[in-house]
Amino acid sequence: MEQIWRNVCAHYDVPEEVTKTWYARIEEHLSDDSPTRAYHNWQEMMQRKHSHLSDCAPSIALAAFFQYYHFDGNRSCVEENCEVFEEFCRDAMIEDEHAKSLVCNLLGRKTPDNEVHWCHDDEANLLQDVDLVVLAAPPEEYKHYTELLRHEYANLDDETYKSMRVKVLETLLIIPCIFSTPEYHDKYEELARTNIRNEIRELKLKQ
């Protein structure tokens, strides 16, 4: 992950000290040993994304480092993550407003301007596909992922969680394409759908 970060920072001409400091800060923050970060952390989520981010456009890779800097399964953290990214930009002396706006938009910030003029669906779709690739993991890895995810919703009792999770999974099965980019759709779509069907079956058997 460090080399990916260094490549991204080199693209934006980020000073070496800022590059090192922020890599350490992001890694430490995402390594927080908290049940609410059982999956969305450095060791599980970010390491799984490693191979997928290696060849991504700098804007996509940069967004991936800040996408879950703050995470709470029960609410959106988009604005908080955009604010941390903007703090990084100030430290890194990134002054390209278009580049900064693109990353914030990829992080989920909605503005009247980007809703009218947004033209970066390819980048947004790839970032989302990299996020969803865990759905196509081998069965044992997928099982591990679902167990970690359950820990992140420890505030919910089992019945509430199962009901919520089944609704989410059934929605994924209804949509025509879970993965939006052709490459990810061809490679991962059926694997993901098989995992999802199996999880739904298991959850319903426990209800």
Side-chain angles (χ1 to χ4, degrees):
M1 292 303 292
E2 184 173 5
Q3 190 57 54
I4 294 172
W5 175 254
R6 285 189 165 277
N7 291 344
V8 169
C9 288
H11 174 82
Y12 291 103
D13 295 322
V14 177
E16 172 66 15
E17 191 57 37
V18 177
T19 298
K20 289 165 54 178
T21 299
W22 270 89
Y23 181 81
R25 174 175 167 176
I26 293 169
E27 181 180 13
E28 180 181 7
H29 192 82
L30 267 67
S31 298
D32 180 34
D33 186 18
S34 166
T36 58
R37 262 202 191 280
Y39 172 71
H40 290 86
N41 59 39
W42 188 263
Q43 188 59 37
E44 294 288 343
M45 176 191 68
M46 291 300 287
Q47 297 307 316
R48 180 172 292 281
K49 293 181 178 183
H50 181 279
S51 62
H52 301 277
L53 294 175
S54 297
D55 298 319
C56 282
S59 57
I60 297 171
L62 189 55
F65 277 95
F66 290 93
Q67 188 177 13
Y68 293 103
Y69 187 90
H70 291 292
F71 172 76
D72 185 334
N74 299 291
R75 66 178 181 85
S76 171
C77 295
V78 166
E79 271 308 309
E80 291 164 84
N81 291 330
C82 286
E83 288 169 6
V84 175
F85 169 68
E86 288 168 339
E87 181 187 349
F88 163 73
C89 288
R90 290 191 293 273
D91 289 353
M93 294 179 287
I94 296 174
E95 298 179 351
D96 184 334
E97 293 300 324
H98 175 75
K100 291 191 287 186
S101 177
L102 172 56
V103 173
C104 282
N105 292 344
L106 290 173
L107 291 174
R109 176 179 280 170
K110 301 299 181 187
T111 65
D113 185 62
N114 74 37
E115 288 182 0
V116 174
H117 301 292
W118 177 254
C119 59
H120 298 282
D121 284 343
D122 289 347
E123 292 99 323
N125 287 341
L126 182 54
L127 180 64
Q128 177 177 275
D129 282 358
V130 169
D131 207 28
L132 294 176
V133 76
V134 65
L135 298 177
E140 286 305 310
E141 291 182 28
Y142 183 82
K143 179 70 173 175
H144 176 62
Y145 157 71
T146 63
E147 290 169 351
L148 295 177
L149 204 61
R150 176 65 184 99
H151 288 304
E152 294 186 346
Y153 293 89
N155 59 308
L156 302 179
D157 61 66
D158 282 344
E159 289 307 309
T160 302
Y161 178 78
K162 288 174 191 173
S163 176
M164 179 195 74
R165 182 70 177 160
V166 166
K167 287 179 182 177
V168 170
L169 295 172
E170 288 180 336
T171 299
L172 286 173
L173 289 182
I174 289 170
I175 61 178
C177 297
I178 295 172
F179 296 96
S180 301
T181 60
E183 178 186 355
Y184 277 71
H185 179 271
D186 292 346
K187 190 172 183 178
Y188 299 116
E189 187 79 17
E190 286 310 312
L191 294 170
R193 288 183 180 274
T194 297
N195 281 335
I196 290 168
R197 290 189 194 100
N198 289 339
E199 185 182 356
I200 290 173
R201 184 165 55 250
E202 290 179 14
L203 288 169
K204 287 186 173 180
L205 283 173
K206 293 176 183 178
Q207 286 179 335

